[in-house]
Amino acid sequence: MAHLSARLLLLGLLLWAGRVCSAAAQDGCTFLGEEETSSFYQEGEVVLGGLFPLHYTTCYLPCSFSARALRWMQTMMFAVREINQRRDLLPHLTLGFHIRDSCDHVPVSLRGSLLLVNGQPEWGAVSRGAGQGPGSDCAAVRRAVSPVIIGDAASGVSMAVLRTLGSFHIPLVSYFASCSCLSDQKQFPTFMRTMPSDAFQIRALARLVRYFHWTWVGVIGVESDYARFAIQLNKLMISSKHMIIHFVILVIVTQGSSSRVLLNFSGESELRSILRECLHRNVTGLQLIASEAWATSKSLWGEFGDLLTGTLGFGIRKVDVIPGLKDFLTRLGPSHGHQSAFLAEFWEETFNCRVNDSLNTHSHSVSYLDREPCSGREVLGDVYTPYADVSQLRVSYNVYKAVYLIAHALQDMTNCVAGQGPFINGTCGDPKHVKPWQVKFSTFGEEVSFDHNGDPIASYDLMNWQRGQDGSLRLVKVGFYDASLADGRDLVINDSVIQWPVGKQVPRSVCSESCPPGTRVARKKGEPVCCFDCIPCAEGEVSNQTDSLNCISCSDVTWPNEARDHCVPKTIEFLSYQESMGVVLCVVSILGACASLSVLAVFIANRHTPIVRGNNMELSFLLLLFLSVCFLIGLLFIGEPSDWLCRIRYPAFGVSFALCISCLLAKTMVVLMAFRATLPGSDVMKWFGPAQQRASVVLCTAVQGLICLIWLLTRPPYTNLNTGHFSSVIIIDCAVGSEVAFWCVLGYIGLLACMCFILAFLARKLPDNFNEAKFITFSMLIFFAVWITFIPVYVSTAGKYTVAVHVFAILASAFGLLVCIFAPKCYILHRTYRDEHSEKEDLKELTTIRKMEINCKPLEQRGSDILAVKYVQAKWRLLFDCCI
């Protein structure tokens, strides 16, 4: 615990005050003001002044009486009496007290403080002669001046007193003024307090608001220094914790606010007007957060219990018991009303009666004269009053500590060794000439110490206002805040025992509901940061936190899930054998290859027939073989691509189609040149023999092979993970590597097809029974139609559909060649085979008929109708065939 620096507490000089009064008497000074007898006074060598708000508003108008403040006064008197009875603390010095009512009003408090530090004349005493009543000189003063004042409760009143008495270095020790502005030692060098600064309370309140996730909070109060400084500090603290104050009102809360949590920086008297206005406007269901000024003020419950149920607030850390205090408080009886106007007023207000010969001049609820006289049998223990309630010793404990603070300071001065003192040249102070000092002491096991601003280290109890079964108020401690502990451990709350205003759940007070994962916060223009819209994360982005300010982009291989709160692996897509499209293409490829090989087998079986031999049998066999390869090339495009498969796929496609078109080109050239060779004197056919035909096929294919070889050696095809076409899909395909090489392969196939088409078109009408140029022409037209259509479709599609289009083009063009060129030949072979078989059957039937005519009797005689019918049918068929 830090020591108090020398500037924290400056006590006025006892002897100096006496000298001032003596000098004033010699100079003819006079005492101004009206006679005031309402005070507590006890003689002593050092008389401690006290200012307490026994009444609220002003003492000259009907005002409220505070039994709680009377307990504070009595606590100060009890502490002084206890110190005077001790032998270990100030054994050679007697303390006294002079306690006045400040009425929680600046003018009254200033007048009372000046009376305390100047003494007070007693009119009616022996020294009356210089003047009757007001205007008496200082010689009439019979009460000792107070070198130090304990008070006041309100921060604004304390500031006014300090500014008035500061020039005279009169110290003020407050027990309840908490405004952080009072920690400014440059403005208030003579101020000290046993009440923690609002700076600690604001930290505690900010931690409380953050703990319950309240981000939309209203702050209300009345126009006062306490409320103004507290609200300013609260705004600064809460805004730094990403929470927003919805409104700040220094008069009264308004209806229609969306904030359900209200921080109230008001005193007890000021709060009453606010609560009355809330009742008038039927404002309900609010979660009130009390400042320490009224967090434990039970007197509010009777009138405003419905509004205050569930209130949370930080109260000053209480002490369980001050030994002897309760007995001291409850010793009062009707006879004490003759000794003090304060006690008389308390007794009359508590029992609603009139004390005989009472000094009280105040009346509140009823006229003073209308009350019945007190019977004298009233017992304080038979009724409840905040005065005798010692269950919540918080401010009373601060008063108690303030008295002991001054006592220990005086003790330190008494024990000071000359030459080792804290003052100039090591001098010590005189208890009767009080100077600044450092102080540190303990009460009831608690070490009381102060920071460099003269503020005690804060410790608060978190109190919850709960309604008991009988409707009474139960102030329940539900947690605590200790500023001396590390952040994160300074606030402890037991949520399970809290009673809320409505329901059993923590009330929500937010401007905008939290944005769930998968969305981001979008600020509303011109509104606080806690007012926002929740915008879903854009495509490809996720947010996995509540109230995320930004969404995070997923990697290239991941994609947001449906909720967009985390990334999941993208779907892998390629043309596989497991899907229907892949199965269909695979089946068609195999059927095409089987069809090609079947035709090849038929041609081989009929290789001696004119239709096979007359159409360049060797090239036909090669063409059928290469067509079967083209059909099987389509299988290379199905399945998951790999680098080696990509390097085989495109060259195999280019070379196989180059072989097919080269064979067709050679066949077309042979047909064309064969017709030229029939002309007289032509020897062209010697340049187009079987060897030359094979060489032309090899040469045309070699060019394509060279293109593919250069392609593979420079920029070969490779496996590509395509994430650009579909956001949620990774397309595994084969990148061509070199676009130029790919289109060169297609272009070369197109060149061969064009040459083949031109030659076939020229030879389509040659007079040759076995001329197939017209079929080659038609097949080339289909080939062009397929591949010209393929190019735009190939460019505009993506993923497995691009591959499917490529396979479809391969199969369609291969089927076009197979059907257009070889279907007519197969049909001719079929008809030839059927005609030959039919001739044999006809000859056999004719022979049978002739035998039947020669060897058999008339059919009618044999009685066989079936045989006669067969005979007639066979005879007519033979005649029909012969006619044909």
Side-chain angles (χ1 to χ4, degrees), residues 236-257:
L236 180 63
M237 185 67 65
I238 284 185
S239 298
S240 68
K241 300 297 183 181
H242 308 291
M243 293 167 283
I244 297 300
I245 292 176
H246 181 197
F247 53 85
V248 175
I249 303 175
L250 292 176
V251 180
I252 188 63
V253 61
T254 61
Q255 280 182 297
S257 167

Side-chain angles (χ1 to χ4, degrees), residues 606-627:
N606 295 276
R607 62 186 178 277
H608 301 296
T609 60
I611 191 65
V612 176
R613 295 177 62 85
N615 284 282
N616 203 329
M617 179 179 64
E618 185 177 352
L619 289 178
S620 295
F621 288 170
L622 289 175
L623 178 58
L624 286 169
L625 181 63
F626 295 148
L627 279 175

Side-chain angles (χ1 to χ4, degrees), residues 687-703:
W687 299 104
F688 285 93
Q692 287 78 11
Q693 294 173 21
R694 290 191 291 269
S696 65
V697 172
V698 172
L699 180 62
C700 291
T701 306
V703 176

